[in-house]
Amino acid sequence: MSKLERNWQYAEQYPGETEALVRARRLSLELGIEPVSRSVGAQLSGSTVLARAQAICEVGTGVGVSGLSLLRYASEATLTSIEIEAEHLREARGVFSDAGIAAARLRLIEGDARHVMPRMNLAAYDLVLIDAEPAQLLEHFENALGIVRPGGCIIVPGAFAHGRVPDPAARDEDVQAMRDLLALVAESPAIAPILSPAGDGLLTLVRLDGDAPGTPNPPRR
């Protein structure tokens, strides 16, 4: 094992988790859902605090691993989470309830985020998490850019697509969608991108104050 691999493994094993997170992670795996890793969960928890996030939007609820992580240290924050799979959303309701998250802090929406997000208020969220189908990534990002406030952030886990994004030989649709997003945000003067090797790659995008040339314009219906 190389030094970099040992560093990555240590970082993955380091964060502690609450009992609620451990149970949610186990349930995710039982249902065949790939949850964010422990290190990514820890970064989500810290990002919420650093952003002083009060209003959070999540695309891809799963059964609540990432949602619990986002709310872990933010006792006053509210979470709007969108999930297309009804079964996953039912399980998530139980997970949040068992974790003691008050119903007033949650808005769980069943539906396709591509149809839900364009109806949400502009610049109304401090943090947006996108954990959904890679093929729809650019559309989700454009919508997220419209609802996140200046100074807020958009977070995309799975940025390495199981190691395929850095592999020049990998050219499937999911990989290309992630590469397109990485190229887009790297060239935009309106976004500060941060790519971390945590988990399967964690992309954090800070929306800078105001609009600037080269900023993608989110579609509105």
Side-chain angles (χ1 to χ4, degrees):
M1 182 182 294
S2 70
K3 183 186 295 185
L4 287 176
E5 289 170 330
R6 286 195 300 270
N7 291 347
W8 180 89
Q9 187 177 71
Y10 185 86
E12 286 299 318
Q13 296 172 348
Y14 172 74
E17 291 193 312
T18 63
E19 291 183 7
L21 272 167
V22 171
R23 289 196 298 270
R25 188 176 298 283
R26 185 181 303 120
L27 178 59
S28 291
L29 296 174
E30 289 173 358
L31 294 175
I33 304 169
E34 184 178 2
V36 295
S37 74
R38 286 169 59 180
S39 70
V40 169
Q43 292 206 32
L44 295 180
S45 300
S47 294
T48 302
V49 176
L50 289 170
R52 298 183 178 180
Q54 293 296 298
I56 303 168
C57 178
E58 175 184 39
V59 178
T61 312
V63 298
V65 174
S66 53
L68 288 177
S69 298
L70 289 164
L71 296 176
R72 183 173 181 179
Y73 302 120
S75 59
E76 302 299 321
T78 61
L79 173 67
T80 298
S81 190
I82 307 164
E83 173 59 55
I84 199 168
E85 296 290 343
E87 179 187 0
H88 297 171
L89 206 59
R90 284 195 299 271
E91 296 288 353
R93 291 184 192 280
V95 165
F96 285 118
S97 177
D98 291 345
I101 305 297
R105 298 178 60 202
L106 290 171
R107 182 165 63 137
L108 302 181
I109 301 173
E110 180 185 341
D112 188 330
R114 293 174 297 176
H115 303 148
V116 175
M117 293 176 79
R119 300 197 299 270
M120 300 171 80
N121 291 334
L122 295 173
Y125 292 88
D126 304 301
L127 187 154
V128 180
L129 175 69
I130 303 174
D131 190 6
E133 291 295 328
Q136 302 166 4
L137 185 56
L138 284 175
E139 188 170 355
H140 288 321
F141 166 69
E142 290 173 349
N143 286 324
L145 194 61
I147 67 172
V148 73
R149 64 167 173 79
C153 59
I154 300 168
I155 301 179
V156 184
F160 293 158
H162 298 287
R164 301 196 312 278
V165 168
D167 179 4
R171 300 180 180 275
D172 58 87
E173 183 181 8
D174 290 353
V175 166
Q176 193 55 53
M178 184 59 74
R179 286 176 180 157
D180 288 345
L181 176 60
L182 288 166
L184 178 66
V185 298
E187 296 170 356
S188 174
I191 297 168
I194 308 161
L195 181 59
S196 162
D200 185 34
L202 186 67
L203 179 62
T204 301
L205 309 169
V206 181
R207 179 185 168 188
L208 303 178
D209 289 347
D211 294 326
T215 305
N217 294 315
R220 283 289 169 263
R221 297 186 179 91

